[in-house]
Every structure is written in structure tokens, then in C-alpha cells.
């Protein structure tokens, strides 16, 4: 059967209220006059979702009544089958709580399982809504910074042991795979992390929203599958949104094998005015079920395309900007690039990227102080867009440092 997808296709997103492309959003995030930046920032894809998803929603649209709805009954078996098939995780349907997104769910979890003044551990540089969820709810960040060892980021287990002993430390948010550094944690790394947390009575929130976007040669391990003890001491966030570009449909699942924790979170969600029986959205559940059931070939091709995009970007930047380093991408479609050795301070780099290159990226300091000097590139776009952005970035930087960037290494 011929394929009905083309990742090279340019899809005009103007006039669709796309957060990624909307001029008003770009202006609000990056500043006045930045409405026309080429966006490689927020983590959504510029690819059409799988055709099976569109057809499933069209079929439901034809009914023409969209009243109060329970979670579509196809959703749960589709999710369970997907994670068993792709990740060898046998999820029991009763473990699943549906929510409109993982970020709202993290906020609910922080509210329920900690108190104001308590500390929540994160591993910076990391997805910045984690810090917001902690601070906006009156909790304190307990930072266990990742360490660069050779060509990769690693967890600092000695520091983790020390930080976990803090009596106010109540939970840890694990980003797996890690956004923005692109690491897929090994089973051994996860075991060390989990054992330290359990020893110190720290509840683990495992955000695994990128777990299907794993590059060739790597394997994701779902945290609760490692042991029953890990399953009972963790809450895992899953969604089809990153995998199949469905974020605007607001559907995620929070998996909690521990019945007591599950009941507490259900109570918290109800206290906030959401009924667990209808968590998420009508079309979110329908679209996710259709993707889980019928879009695996689309995903396999997507991963190959993303890997090729990564190899292009890494080769192009490192060849033309000696001293810049593109970290290997093991998972996600978000590439972490180190520009610190080019002799430009963060403020100047930001101006170059936004005013000269005319490209919108997620700046490294958004992810924590140890992200300063880095930039996050979203490579989930047609190759032609990525080429245009990369060429513009390199050209703009070269104008400021000359053609011998390596001479500025520190």
C-alpha cells in the first residue's frame, strides 16, 4: 500500500492559531518586532498527523452531536496495547487517570503530595514548566544538576544522594527521555535514581511523554517496569501528543499502580472541578486511540526522518562553526546545541539569533542557569525549513565571530 504521508511537505500554518507560528505569541515570547521569526522553538511538529487520526475524527464529526462525553471506550485498550507492544509494559486499565495534559497533572500532583515549603527535585537543565509547577504552588526547587562527562550528560548520583536526604524533599520529577539534552536513560541509571529516591521516601513523577520518539540504537525503559517497588512509588505521565502531533487535542494519561496514590490524585482532580471519568477531551481520546491502533508505520518513518534531520544539523553546525557542539540525540526531536566556546555572551547570542538570523529557538537559560550558552532546536519540521534555519543561524553567528570561530575557544 502506498504511503499517504510526506514529511517534506510544507504545510502553511498561518491562520490556524498555532502557538508555534502565531505572530502574537512570537511577539509575546521573544519581544516586539519578532512576529516573523522562523519558529524552531515550542515542541510541536510541522507535519500532518497520521491520516487514520483525521479519518477517526471525521467519522465522529459526522454524528453532529458533541455533548458531555465519557472517555471514548476505544482509548483504554488502544493505550494498553500500544505500551505492551512498544515498551513491554502491562498496564492495568484501573491504573489510568485521564487528564487534559501532563503539565496540569504535574501541578495536581505537586499540590496533593507536598506542602508549601516542601522541596521537589529536578535535574537541570530541564523542561521549564517543571520549575513553574514547583514555584507557582509555593514549593521549593531542589536542583540535582546533570553533569557533562565526555560527550554526554549524566546524572550526578553523589549529589542526588546528598540532596535526597533533605527532610523537606518530598518528590522528584524525572524527565525520561530528557528534554532538552536528548538523553535516553539506561535501565541502570534509572535503577540508581529510583533506589536513592525510595531509600529517602521521595515520590517519583516520571514524565515519559517523549518515550516513543527514540532514535535508532537506543531503547526507552518505562520507569515502573523496572520493579514492583518502583511501580508503587511512582506516577507516570504518558500521551500520544508528542508522538503523533496531537497536543492541541489535550489528552494525556497518568498511570498510578499504587491504589492509595491513585485515590488521592483522583480526589485532588475532583477538588479542582474536573471529573476523572471525563478527563481529557472527546476528540483527544478518539485521535489517540486511532493513532495507537493504526499509525505505527507512520511513526517508524518519522523516526528515520528525524534522525536524518539531526545528522544534517549536527554536521552542518559543527563543520561550519568549529567550537560549537551538537549533543547526540538519543530521544525526542529536540536538539541541544552548545555555543559557549564561540566567545559570545548569552545576551549577544540571543540578539544574533533573533535579530540577525531571524530564528526562534528555546534559549538554554530557560531550562535553568546551567543551560546558559546553549540553544534548543526543534527539528520536527520539513528538511527545507531546517536547512533554512541552520544556514541563517550559522551565517549570522559568523558575521559576529569571523570565519575562524575555533580561535575564540576558551
Amino acid at each position: 500500500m502506498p504511503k499517504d504521508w510526506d514529511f517534506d511537505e510544507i504545510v502553511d500554518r498561518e491562520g490556524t492559531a498555532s502557538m508555534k507560528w502565531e505572530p502574537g505569541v512570537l511577539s509575546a515570547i521573544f519581544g516586539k518586532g519578532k512576529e516573523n521569526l522562523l519558529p524552531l522553538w515550542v515542541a510541536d511538529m510541522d507535519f500532518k498527523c497520521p491520516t487514520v487520526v483525521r479519518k477517526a475524527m471525521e467519522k465522529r464529526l459526522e454524528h453532529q452531536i458533541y455533548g458531555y462525553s465519557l472517555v471514548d471506550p476505544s482509548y483504554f485498550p488502544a493505550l494498553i496495547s500500544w505500551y505492551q507492544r512498544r515498551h513491554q509494559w502491562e498496564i492495568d486499565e484501573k491504573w489510568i487517570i485521564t487528564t487534559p495534559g501532563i503539565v496540569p497533572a504535574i501541578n495536581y500532583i505537586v499540590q496533593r503530595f507536598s506542602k508549601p515549603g516542601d522541596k521537589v527535585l529536578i535535574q537541570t537543565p530541564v523542561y521549564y514548566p517543571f520549575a513553574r509547577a514547583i514555584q507557582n504552588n509555593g514549593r521549593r526547587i531542589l536542583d540535582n544538576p546533570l553533569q557533562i562527562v565526555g560527550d554526554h550528560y549524566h546524572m550526578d548520583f553523589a549529589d542526588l544522594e546528598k540532596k535526597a536526604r533533605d527532610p523537606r524533599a518530598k518528590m522528584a520529577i524525572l524527565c525520561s527521555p530528557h528534554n532538552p539534552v536528548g538523553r535516553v536513560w539506561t535501565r541502570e541509571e534509572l535503577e540508581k535514581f529510583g533506589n536513592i529516591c525510595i531509600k529517602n521516601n521521595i515520590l517519583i513523577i516520571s514524565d515519559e511523554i517523549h518515550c516513543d520518539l527514540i532514535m535508532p540504537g537506543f531503547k526507552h525503559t518505562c520507569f515502573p517496569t523496572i520493579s514492583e517497588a518502583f511501580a508503587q512509588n511512582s506516577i507516570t505521565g504518558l500521551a500520544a501528543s508528542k508522538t503523533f502531533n496531537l497536543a492541541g487535542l489535550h489528552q494525556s494519561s497518568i498511570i498510578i499502580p499504587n491504589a492509595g496514590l491513585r485515590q488521592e490524585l483522583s480526589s485532588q482532580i475532583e477538588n479542582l472541578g474536573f471529573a476523572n471519568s471525563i478527563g481529557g477531551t472527546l476528540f483527544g481520546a478518539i485521535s489517540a486511540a486511532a493513532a495507537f491502533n493504526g499509525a505505527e508505520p507512520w511513526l517508524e518513518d518519522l523516526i528515520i526522518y528525524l534522525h536524518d534531520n539531526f545528522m544534517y544539523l549536527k554536521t552542518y553546525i559543527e563543520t561550519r562553526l568549529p567550537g560549537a557542539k551538537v549533543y547526540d540525540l538519543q530521544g525526542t526531536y529536540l536538539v541541544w546545541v552548545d555555543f559557549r566556546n564561540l566567545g559570545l555572551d548569552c545576551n549577544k547570542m540571543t540578539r544574533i539569533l533573533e535579530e540577525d538570523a531571524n530564528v526562534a529557538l528555546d534559549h538554554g537559560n530557560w531550562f535553568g542557569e546551567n543551560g546558559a550558552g546553549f540553544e534548543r532546536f526543534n527539528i520536527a519540521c520539513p528538511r527545507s525549513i531546517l536547512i533554512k534555519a541552520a544556514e541563517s543561524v550559522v551565517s549570522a553567528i559568523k558575521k559576529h565571530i569571523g570565519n575562524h570561530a575555533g580561535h575564540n575557544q576558551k
Side-chain angles (χ1 to χ4, degrees):
M1 179 180 295
K3 297 175 181 177
D4 60 357
W5 55 86
D6 177 8
F7 299 123
D8 284 322
E9 179 185 1
I10 302 292
V11 181
D12 184 1
R13 300 182 68 179
E14 185 177 352
T16 64
S18 162
M19 178 179 175
K20 184 177 185 179
W21 288 82
E22 175 63 35
V25 175
L26 290 168
S27 178
I29 297 294
F30 296 97
K32 188 175 180 180
K34 308 289 179 62
E35 294 85 358
N36 296 312
L37 297 181
L38 181 61
L40 269 68
W41 67 293
V42 69
D44 82 356
M45 297 192 271
D46 291 319
F47 307 129
K48 291 180 179 178
C49 70
T51 301
V52 293
V53 171
R54 176 177 56 80
K55 288 182 176 179
M57 290 196 289
E58 286 174 349
K59 182 179 179 180
R60 181 61 182 84
L61 277 168
E62 289 172 0
H63 187 259
Q64 300 184 61
I65 296 177
Y66 317 116
Y68 291 118
S69 304
L70 302 175
V71 177
D72 190 88
S74 65
Y75 177 71
F76 296 106
L79 180 148
I80 290 167
S81 175
W82 179 265
Y83 285 93
Q84 193 282 325
R85 199 165 69 245
R86 301 283 300 189
H87 301 288
Q88 298 73 57
W89 186 9
E90 300 282 353
I91 297 174
D92 189 317
E93 184 173 330
K94 69 175 179 286
W95 299 348
I96 304 171
I97 294 177
T98 55
T99 71
I102 290 178
V103 171
I106 289 174
N107 281 266
Y108 309 156
I109 295 164
V110 168
Q111 292 163 6
R112 188 67 177 193
F113 298 106
S114 66
K115 297 177 181 178
D118 283 346
K119 297 180 180 180
V120 181
L121 186 143
I122 57 175
Q123 296 176 306
T124 59
V126 74
Y127 183 53
Y128 38 88
F130 291 176
R132 292 175 185 167
I134 296 166
Q135 295 172 319
N136 290 349
N137 287 294
R139 279 65 170 171
R140 292 184 286 168
I141 293 171
L142 185 61
D143 191 10
N144 170 224
L146 299 177
Q147 300 295 310
I148 301 174
V149 181
D151 292 334
H152 297 94
Y153 278 84
H154 295 262
M155 294 188 192
D156 185 341
F157 292 109
D159 182 70
L160 178 61
E161 288 264 18
K162 178 181 177 181
K163 300 282 176 63
R165 289 196 293 268
D166 188 321
R168 294 306 300 268
K170 300 302 179 183
M171 63 179 64
I173 307 177
L174 172 68
C175 196
S176 181
H178 194 281
N179 169 15
V181 309
R183 273 298 314 277
V184 173
W185 304 117
T186 65
R187 183 183 181 93
E188 291 71 26
E189 287 171 314
L190 294 173
E191 285 177 347
K192 288 182 182 179
F193 179 88
N195 286 330
I196 291 170
C197 289
I198 287 176
K199 183 172 69 175
N200 291 280
N201 297 312
I202 292 176
L203 176 66
I204 296 164
I205 307 169
S206 187
D207 178 355
E208 304 190 16
I209 196 170
H210 292 276
C211 71
D212 294 315
L213 298 161
I214 307 300
M215 296 300 105
F218 297 93
K219 178 170 176 54
H220 174 79
T221 300
C222 293
F223 184 81
T225 66
I226 295 173
S227 72
E228 181 60 21
F230 283 17
Q232 292 299 313
N233 190 58
S234 63
I235 297 173
T236 303
L238 304 174
S241 54
K242 288 292 184 282
T243 309
F244 300 107
N245 209 29
L246 306 175
L249 297 174
H250 296 287
Q251 185 75 39
S252 70
S253 289
I254 308 304
I255 315 300
I256 315 180
N258 184 307
L261 296 177
R262 192 167 64 248
Q263 180 55 52
E264 284 200 53
L265 185 60
S266 294
S267 297
Q268 177 67 14
I269 291 172
E270 291 185 12
N271 291 346
L272 293 169
F274 295 97
N276 182 41
S277 59
I278 57 172
T281 68
L282 169 62
F283 287 100
I286 289 171
S287 65
F292 287 144
N293 287 332
E296 209 156 358
W298 181 94
L299 175 60
E300 297 295 347
D301 279 1
L302 171 69
I303 289 170
I304 294 170
Y305 192 89
L306 292 174
H307 184 258
D308 289 345
N309 268 3
F310 165 71
M311 293 305 300
Y312 160 77
L313 185 67
K314 180 177 177 65
T315 301
Y316 188 84
I317 288 181
E318 291 187 345
T319 299
R320 288 161 178 78
L321 291 175
K325 179 174 179 55
V326 180
Y327 279 84
D328 284 345
L329 185 66
Q330 300 179 356
T332 81
Y333 50 72
L334 306 165
V335 179
W336 193 235
V337 183
D338 184 354
F339 290 113
R340 292 176 299 170
N341 284 337
L342 301 186
L344 301 168
D345 65 44
C346 291
N347 290 333
K348 186 168 185 178
M349 178 62 77
T350 297
R351 290 196 300 272
I352 292 169
L353 293 170
E354 296 177 5
E355 297 173 11
D356 296 347
N358 205 43
V359 173
L361 304 173
D362 274 35
H363 302 310
N365 60 336
W366 296 359
F367 300 88
E369 292 181 2
N370 54 348
F374 295 77
E375 298 290 335
R376 192 190 77 174
F377 287 69
N378 176 351
I379 62 167
C381 59
R383 186 81 36 80
S384 59
I385 291 178
L386 183 62
I387 290 171
K388 180 179 179 181
E391 289 180 347
S392 186
V393 166
V394 168
S395 176
I397 292 174
K398 276 183 170 290
K399 288 178 182 177
H400 288 267
I401 64 174
N403 293 321
H404 302 286
H407 293 173
N408 290 320
Q409 290 187 28
K410 298 190 274 188

